[in-house]
Amino acid sequence: GEDVEQSLFLSVREGDSSVINCTYTDSSSTYLYWYKQEPGAGLQLLTYIFSNMDMKQDQRLTVLLNKKDKHLSLRIADTQTGDSAIYFCAESTTGGYQKVTFGTGTKLQVIP
Amino acid sequence: EAGVAQSPRYKIIEKRQSVAFWCNPISGHATLYWYQQILGQGPKLLIQFQNNGVVDDSQLPKDRFSAERLKGVDSTLKIQPAKLEDSAVYLCASSPGLGPEQFFGPGTRLTVL
């Protein structure tokens, strides 16, 4: 079945850039996502990229997709303390409906 | 626009008891999802509804879990009887159709003692 892997933890200083990495196994993935989860809250969709794209930028967020290596990354520029959360990578395939598979999440700690 | 509503937010029960969770999706959203998120893991899809029909329940433990979405709006997820390993956060999400964006509720944290 599909598998999505992420490193468990990342610590950065406020103002620095954060890069969170993800690898996936399903070569037929249609969309790849980044979700953010703050303590006690549900998941918030940050951004997603269609599988035929290499890059997507949205304000402080840059998503890079290497489809050959099945590698996805999320770069957060000028990381703030409010960015501290768990970030989930996810992928979906379309077979009449979207079925989303999530990674285990990367906990981002921003040090003031 | 109101978000996805879930209740209760927290529930503590003993093993072998029954429990039910409720979800009210965003108005007009045809697709509704229930996920189980065990501590330290990513959400795992339990069941997906398109209007009031089930499109995927392949990971739903049907011997103890059941879900329904009457009239294609609200949904309930039931566990009967609960086991210790059912302790998790149960997340409900909805989306307008078959597109990529899902909107999540705050979840119900279940503790089974």
Side-chain angles (χ1 to χ4, degrees):
Chain A
E2 303 86 1
D3 194 22
V4 180
E5 294 189 357
Q6 304 177 236
S7 54
L8 291 180
F9 188 76
L10 176 66
S11 180
V12 299
R13 293 209 171 272
E14 189 176 18
D16 288 350
S17 292
S18 309
V19 179
I20 303 171
N21 295 300
C22 167
T23 57
Y24 60 98
T25 58
D26 191 345
S27 57
S28 61
S29 295
T30 308
Y31 291 99
L32 295 120
Y33 310 79
W34 285 104
Y35 281 86
K36 176 183 180 182
Q37 186 175 39
E38 297 181 85
L43 277 72
Q44 174 196 357
L45 178 64
L46 288 177
T47 186
Y48 64 92
I49 188 168
F50 193 55
S51 58
N52 67 353
M53 297 171 63
D54 298 325
M55 186 184 85
K56 181 178 181 180
Q57 188 157 3
D58 184 1
Q59 299 182 342
R60 293 191 298 122
L61 305 179
T62 303
V63 177
L64 294 177
L65 173 62
N66 182 328
K67 198 170 181 181
K68 173 177 169 288
D69 294 338
K70 300 190 185 68
H71 183 267
L72 184 74
S73 68
L74 174 69
R75 178 177 180 269
I76 306 173
D78 187 25
T79 312
Q80 302 298 307
T81 54
D83 295 324
S84 293
I86 299 175
Y87 290 80
F88 290 94
C89 171
E91 62 87 24
S92 69
T93 56
T94 306
Y97 60 92
Q98 296 283 345
K99 179 174 181 177
V100 182
T101 301
F102 287 85
T104 52
T106 299
K107 185 172 184 177
L108 174 65
Q109 180 188 49
V110 182
I111 304 167
Chain B
E1 179 183 74
V4 176
Q6 291 188 247
S7 67
R9 291 296 312 277
Y10 306 91
K11 189 74 176 177
I12 301 173
I13 61 173
E14 296 192 348
K15 59 183 179 184
R16 290 187 288 274
Q17 286 187 321
S18 300
V19 65
F21 313 125
W22 174 82
C23 173
N24 185 16
I26 292 173
S27 177
H29 280 195
T31 310
L32 185 146
Y33 313 78
W34 282 102
Y35 289 88
Q36 180 192 58
Q37 186 178 19
I38 293 171
L39 185 65
Q41 298 182 17
K44 181 184 84 170
L45 180 69
L46 292 175
I47 189 167
Q48 178 180 348
F49 293 94
Q50 182 72 15
N51 296 308
N52 60 350
V54 175
V55 296
D56 187 351
D57 64 356
S58 57
Q59 298 190 95
L60 187 74
K62 298 180 185 65
D63 58 334
R64 297 183 301 106
F65 285 65
S66 64
E68 61 182 8
R69 190 183 184 198
L70 299 176
K71 300 180 182 178
V73 182
D74 293 8
S75 178
T76 56
L77 176 69
K78 297 179 182 177
I79 308 175
Q80 181 179 9
K83 293 185 175 181
L84 296 176
E85 58 261 36
D86 298 332
S87 293
V89 176
Y90 290 84
L91 295 164
C92 179
S94 70
S95 64
L98 298 176
E101 296 188 64
Q102 295 185 28
F103 299 84
F104 281 79
T108 296
R109 182 177 296 277
L110 174 67
T111 302
V112 182
L113 303 176

